[in-house]
Amino acid sequence: MPIRMSFCLPAPRILAHRLVAFMLLLLGQTAVAAETDDRLLTRVDAYRNDGRIDLVVGLTHGYRYVSHSLDASGNVLQVRLRLEQTANGDAGTVDGVGSLRWTQSDSVPLGQISSEMSGSLPSVILRFEAPVDVLSVSANPDDRTLSVAIAAATAPAAAALREGIFVINLGSTPIEAPLDPARATAGTQLYQTRSRIHEVLRYHQRLGFFASEETAREALAQLPGALADAWVSEVTDLERDAVLRGTQRVDLAQIVVRSEQTPSLPPASVERLTELMEDARVAAAGGDLTRAATIYERIAAYPVAPFRQNAGELLGVVREKAGQLALARAAYETYLKQYPDGAAAGRVRQRLNTLLAPNTPMMSARVEADRTHGAESAWDVFGSWYQFYRYDQFQVNQEKMLTTRSLLSSDLDTNARRRSDALDLRLRLTGGYEHDFLDSSESEFRASMAYVDLASRRQTHSARVGRQTRTSGGPLGRFDGAYYGYRLSEHTRVNLVGGAPVATTRDSIDTDRLFYGASIDFGPIAQSWNFNLYGISQSVESLVDRQSVGSELRYFSGNMSLFAVADYDVHFSEPNILYLIGSNTFGEATTLSLIADRRRSPLLSTSNALIGQMTATTIAELRQTYSDDEIKQLALDRSPISTSYTALLSQAIDQRFRISADVSRSTLDAMPASGGVEAFPESGPDTYYNLQLIGTELIANSDLGVFGVRYTDATTYTGVSGLLNYRYRSSADIDINPRLRVDRRNTRSDQTLWVYAPGLRTVWNTRRAWTLELELSAELSDQKFLETTDKTKLYFAYLGYRYDF
């Protein structure tokens, strides 16, 4: 039985007030829940920049980039990471699997992003719906986000309108009928579509594709046989592309796309967009021009031809009919800028010229009405609601099984947007509540994002106030505060930022730690170079906490990419971050990447002096015992230098298999005893060797198999690990993912540890907006020391759903 959910949104003004109230409620919590520590992924965002698409993946932990590899098909990218080292040099191990759904769009052909938390080298796997050209992969300076750059030209619509979008409809029936090959003519494609518009199911047999309506009508007249019911129509470029990729039966509900203008908009299918076009037409015909404009504006946000073009023109028409002349003029100008040679360019240009003509008395009255009322537009509200339940059990030898976790996590990620002819206003609220069934006192709120964003329509000015994140330009990660940016020229932008850093989403506003900073962005220069310069000053309880200057550099050209970050703390007179990654592809089969990373871990700040303190919890308490210079030295002592180098070679064997190998070597400097904190010895050098074989179409067309071997030579142990991972997506959009990991470790104290970690995960991406997820896994270990063997059993169960509205 299908799951259905219905709800009514309150009036726009009431909804806006409720959003702001909930935002303030979350920000005002003095204790909110801790970050979920067994899941890796938090979000994924996409941005189009000068011929490339930047995917920014949010992570729950601090990670270092190790390597990446693209399979031979060009559809599956695996990014290997390493957990941030702790003070004793142990990188730690965690297990768990998570995923985020990203429905394919013309601009970003990403189908799904998932994670594998296997030991100290977890992976992020991006599965694309079309082959992609990966320009670079890098971890951002905040260690909590990962950037993946792909060439924008790899999107499915790169060969725009290569075959036209006009078809001959041979018939329409309520049931599926067999295709008659005799109806196909030379140079055409015969196929069938399935769609349900306003609950009416229809199957259409179509013949395409033709560059114009006239060409299609000429072909219809020449078809053999009696086809009195045949007619010519226009279809979307997404439908056409699906057919040209070899699909003869197209379900329009399964062709889905995300907005390239607003990535946070929910995905929309061609079936849904067709329905929206009809709804807008009916609303306009009935005189509800505000509703029609809202629908057309939403449709125009999706990169689907011809819906975007038609909606762009009709948006101007209904604005003009409503007397909103400034908005109509903006819509017409946008259309002509995007489609100067479009089919409707003549009509649009004529309407625009009429609006720009000297005003008659009637026109003056309409302009005044528009000036008074026309800037008001409806709120567009969208987002996601999801709930997940986690249940863990633990047992040592034959002792009683203990339940270590019984937790329900409820999260809301909602966006509200309102646009006028001059401004773009957005509200975003991302937060949740975790209910602990074992100890209700541990149940807490979380506030990840809560901000108001205001920008001019041409992005000359932009501002954001509230809880937010920035991954470059000085602030590292999440903070409560304000940002302002001003575009000086096409290639130059200045930015100002200030506020209070946020360590975890359970924190409320911390007025004891404040920062301010400025940056300037340059690029693209010579079509390949982008860089910025920044400076930032941060205080903690009247002391300097951090004062840094730095720069970020990005280079993309052909098969070569380069990303570098340098951050220098002028207060401590010490480098904070020196990071460099370079990658080059030779031919189409071989990729070589080199990474060098030297940084303070954790990053330098006076607040680090509190690390390890047993009694002092604030800098003020520490100042009762130590001088400011001594506190500064304590902070240096608690911020050791971490250094790592990685080399990766990825080699395609054939169209189905790729092999990748990498070597990584890391060290963590010793920390001296000071301030009552014991010394920690130097860790490393730790060396990691990884070898993976990745294959596709092993058993079925939509599967992926990974076999990996890892050898570790670390300070405290040596170990070898084997991994088997298989993923299969059924025709019902159900992902089935069995996996097995086996580890063997020998410690320096002659202990031997075996770990067996089987797991099974299933995800059902329903045809509507629902995603259902179930995971069952275990970790069984045997630890032997002398004549003693300890057996440990860990069991994990994970069940949840997600609804996109």
Side-chain angles (χ1 to χ4, degrees):
M1 181 176 180
I3 301 174
R4 296 185 182 275
M5 186 176 94
S6 62
F7 59 94
C8 297
L9 291 176
R13 185 165 300 174
I14 298 175
L15 177 61
H17 291 168
R18 290 180 180 177
L19 281 173
V20 173
F22 189 31
M23 182 186 301
L24 295 175
L25 171 65
L26 286 179
L27 280 176
Q29 296 293 329
T30 57
V32 289
E35 305 277 5
T36 303
D37 58 4
D38 58 344
R39 311 291 287 182
L40 176 57
L41 302 172
T42 61
R43 71 183 196 281
V44 57
D45 299 310
Y47 308 92
R48 292 181 66 90
N49 294 302
D50 308 304
R52 74 175 193 274
I53 299 169
D54 290 327
L55 300 172
V56 180
V57 182
L59 309 173
T60 58
H61 297 72
Y63 288 92
R64 299 290 182 83
Y65 167 86
V66 175
S67 62
H68 72 273
S69 58
L70 188 67
D71 76 336
S73 69
N75 290 64
V76 180
L77 174 67
Q78 182 177 20
V79 183
R80 285 171 290 280
L81 307 170
R82 187 174 70 253
L83 274 168
E84 181 69 80
Q85 288 182 317
T86 59
N88 62 2
D90 185 7
T93 60
V94 289
D95 280 288
V97 179
S99 68
L100 297 173
R101 183 173 64 177
W102 181 291
T103 309
Q104 176 190 0
S105 73
D106 275 354
S107 60
V108 184
L110 177 63
Q112 188 180 57
I113 176 171
S114 58
S115 64
E116 298 252 347
M117 299 290 289
S118 300
S120 61
L121 285 177
S123 296
V124 174
I125 298 176
L126 295 90
R127 301 190 70 171
F128 296 93
E129 301 294 341
V132 297
D133 181 14
V134 177
L135 301 175
S136 72
V137 179
S138 61
N140 291 312
D142 62 357
D143 288 334
R144 296 281 179 134
T145 53
L146 178 75
S147 290
V148 177
I150 63 175
T154 59
L161 302 180
R162 60 184 180 274
E163 297 290 342
I165 52 177
F166 287 91
V167 298
I168 299 172
N169 291 273
L170 302 174
S172 175
T173 60
I175 60 174
E176 187 173 8
L179 293 170
D180 183 3
R183 289 185 168 183
T185 60
T188 62
Q189 298 278 343
L190 178 66
Y191 66 100
Q192 185 169 247
T193 65
R194 177 189 186 276
S195 63
R196 186 184 297 272
I197 308 299
H198 293 300
E199 302 305 321
V200 178
L201 178 65
R202 303 297 295 181
Y203 292 87
H204 291 82
Q205 290 198 9
R206 290 172 171 166
L207 191 66
F209 295 92
F210 303 94
S212 65
E213 184 176 2
E214 292 74 18
T215 305
R217 292 191 182 281
E218 291 175 2
L220 173 60
Q222 299 174 6
L223 286 179
L227 291 171
D229 295 332
W231 73 97
V232 171
S233 67
E234 198 174 26
V235 299
T236 69
D237 56 346
L238 297 184
E239 177 181 325
R240 179 207 61 211
D241 290 345
V243 174
L244 294 182
R245 287 195 295 266
T247 302
Q248 280 193 311
R249 287 172 172 79
V250 181
D251 187 346
L252 299 185
Q254 297 301 305
I255 304 180
V256 254
V257 61
R258 276 190 179 272
S259 166
E260 67 176 10
Q261 297 177 353
T262 309
S264 53
L265 271 174
S269 66
V270 170
E271 179 183 87
R272 177 58 178 156
L273 292 175
T274 303
E275 195 172 60
L276 287 174
M277 287 292 292
E278 177 63 16
D279 290 346
R281 185 193 67 79
V282 171
D288 192 348
L289 300 178
T290 298
R291 173 172 168 75
T294 300
I295 298 175
Y296 282 136
E297 191 173 47
R298 190 181 186 99
I299 295 172
Y302 292 90
V304 181
F307 286 166
R308 168 179 274 184
Q309 292 91 322
N310 295 343
E313 176 192 8
L314 294 172
L315 175 62
V317 173
V318 295
R319 292 292 194 197
E320 184 178 355
K321 288 183 178 180
Q324 301 171 347
L325 303 188
L327 292 176
R329 186 166 60 249
Y332 290 146
E333 290 173 347
T334 298
Y335 181 95
L336 293 174
K337 182 179 179 180
Q338 293 177 339
Y339 314 107
D341 300 318
R347 295 193 302 268
V348 172
R349 195 170 285 111
Q350 183 177 1
R351 287 182 175 274
L352 179 60
N353 290 336
T354 301
L355 290 180
L356 297 177
N359 291 331
T360 63
M362 181 180 296
M363 184 66 72
S364 298
R366 293 176 67 185
V367 170
E368 183 61 31
D370 180 59
R371 183 178 296 119
T372 306
H373 305 289
E376 185 170 350
S377 59
W379 285 97
D380 188 14
V381 181
F382 51 91
S384 300
W385 164 258
Y386 38 100
Q387 284 188 305
F388 290 95
Y389 175 72
R390 178 69 186 263
Y391 184 77
D392 299 349
Q393 286 192 322
F394 172 75
Q395 184 183 40
V396 178
N397 297 324
Q398 299 302 315
E399 296 179 4
K400 182 181 178 180
M401 185 77 71
L402 299 177
T403 299
T404 58
R405 182 177 302 182
S406 180
L407 184 73
L408 178 65
S409 177
S410 304
D411 292 270
L412 174 68
D413 181 4
T414 185
N415 297 261
R417 181 175 183 178
R418 189 173 186 172
R419 291 188 292 181
S420 69
D421 59 331
L423 296 176
D424 189 348
L425 172 64
R426 302 186 189 189
L427 305 177
R428 182 172 183 183
L429 175 64
T430 303
Y433 178 75
E434 287 187 346
H435 181 74
D436 194 325
F437 293 97
L438 300 180
D439 185 355
S440 59
S441 65
E442 296 294 324
S443 300
E444 296 175 316
F445 282 95
R446 288 178 292 145
S448 301
M449 297 279 190
Y451 62 75
V452 179
D453 188 294
L454 187 64
S456 60
R457 290 298 293 270
R458 299 184 183 275
Q459 297 294 311
T460 303
H461 301 271
S462 59
R464 178 178 293 182
V465 179
R467 178 158 292 188
Q468 55 188 289
T469 60
R470 285 184 65 80
T471 59
S472 63
L476 300 179
R478 187 177 286 110
F479 67 93
D480 295 320
Y483 158 81
Y484 170 73
Y486 176 71
R487 185 177 296 280
L488 291 174
S489 67
E490 183 180 357
H491 303 289
T492 309
R493 186 179 191 86
V494 295
N495 310 280
L496 300 174
V497 66
V502 176
T504 68
T505 55
R506 66 175 174 267
D507 295 337
S508 58
I509 298 177
D510 183 4
T511 56
D512 291 331
R513 298 180 70 193
L514 300 173
F515 73 88
Y516 60 89
S519 63
I520 182 167
D521 302 327
F522 302 95
I525 299 173
Q527 299 182 342
S528 300
W529 296 91
N530 292 268
F531 73 96
N532 68 16
L533 299 171
Y534 66 83
I536 188 167
S537 179
Q538 182 170 300
S539 63
V540 56
E541 301 179 36
S542 75
L543 284 183
V544 174
D545 193 35
R546 174 184 172 220
Q547 282 185 339
S548 293
V549 294
S551 177
E552 298 173 11
L553 173 70
R554 299 176 186 269
Y555 173 79
F556 301 98
S557 179
N559 295 329
M560 184 176 180
S561 65
L562 181 70
F563 175 67
V565 178
D567 183 284
Y568 184 84
D569 196 300
V570 296
H571 175 63
F572 289 94
S573 299
E574 290 282 346
N576 217 347
I577 303 173
L578 294 173
Y579 179 81
L580 175 68
I581 173 173
S583 181
N584 193 72
T585 301
F586 304 91
E588 298 181 354
T590 306
T591 300
L592 176 65
S593 300
L594 300 173
I595 306 105
D597 187 357
R598 181 189 185 277
R599 68 180 65 200
R600 291 282 179 166
S601 183
L603 297 180
L604 269 175
S605 71
T606 301
S607 301
N608 292 352
L610 292 169
I611 296 175
Q613 294 295 320
M614 302 301 294
T615 57
T617 59
T618 66
I619 292 296
E621 293 175 353
L622 209 57
R623 295 179 81 178
Q624 295 176 6
T625 306
Y626 302 99
S627 67
D628 291 352
D629 288 339
E630 288 173 330
I631 292 175
K632 182 177 179 180
Q633 185 58 48
L634 288 177
L636 277 169
D637 293 343
R638 301 287 86 78
S639 308
I641 296 174
S642 170
T643 306
S644 66
Y645 303 95
T646 301
L648 164 73
L649 180 64
S650 177
Q651 176 66 49
I653 301 175
D654 55 27
Q655 292 299 312
R656 296 174 54 208
F657 293 96
R658 173 176 289 269
I659 191 170
S660 67
D662 61 79
V663 179
S664 181
R665 188 177 179 88
S666 63
T667 60
L668 184 68
D669 285 359
M671 289 191 293
S674 61
V677 180
E678 295 182 0
F680 283 93
E682 179 183 7
S683 173
D686 297 337
T687 308
Y688 307 89
Y689 304 89
N690 293 278
L691 182 66
Q692 283 197 335
L693 177 65
I694 305 169
T696 58
E697 300 182 7
L698 302 177
I699 301 176
N701 291 333
S702 56
D703 68 1
L704 168 72
V706 179
F707 172 72
V709 178
R710 180 178 76 244
Y711 177 75
T712 303
D713 184 5
T715 305
T716 57
Y717 72 95
T718 60
V720 63
S721 178
L723 174 68
L724 288 173
N725 193 324
Y726 180 75
R727 296 172 182 267
Y728 167 72
R729 171 169 288 188
S730 70
S731 58
D733 285 336
I734 298 178
D735 288 344
I736 303 173
N737 177 208
R739 65 189 188 278
L740 174 65
R741 193 189 84 244
V742 179
D743 296 340
R744 184 181 188 275
R745 292 187 179 187
N746 292 320
T747 68
R748 304 302 183 187
S749 57
D750 293 330
Q751 294 182 359
T752 301
L753 176 66
W754 283 91
V755 179
Y756 308 91
L760 175 64
R761 178 170 172 266
T762 60
V763 178
W764 180 27
N765 300 308
T766 68
R767 293 186 176 183
R768 296 296 180 181
W770 294 89
T771 299
L772 307 179
E773 185 174 335
L774 170 65
E775 179 187 339
L776 300 173
S777 59
E779 186 174 289
L780 314 174
S781 62
D782 293 339
Q783 184 169 346
K784 298 179 180 180
F785 181 64
L786 299 178
E787 301 300 323
T788 303
T789 300
D790 288 328
K791 295 182 179 292
T792 302
K793 299 177 182 178
L794 295 170
Y795 298 100
F796 312 97
Y798 190 84
L799 175 65
Y801 70 90
R802 174 186 177 120
Y803 178 74
D804 297 313
F805 57 86

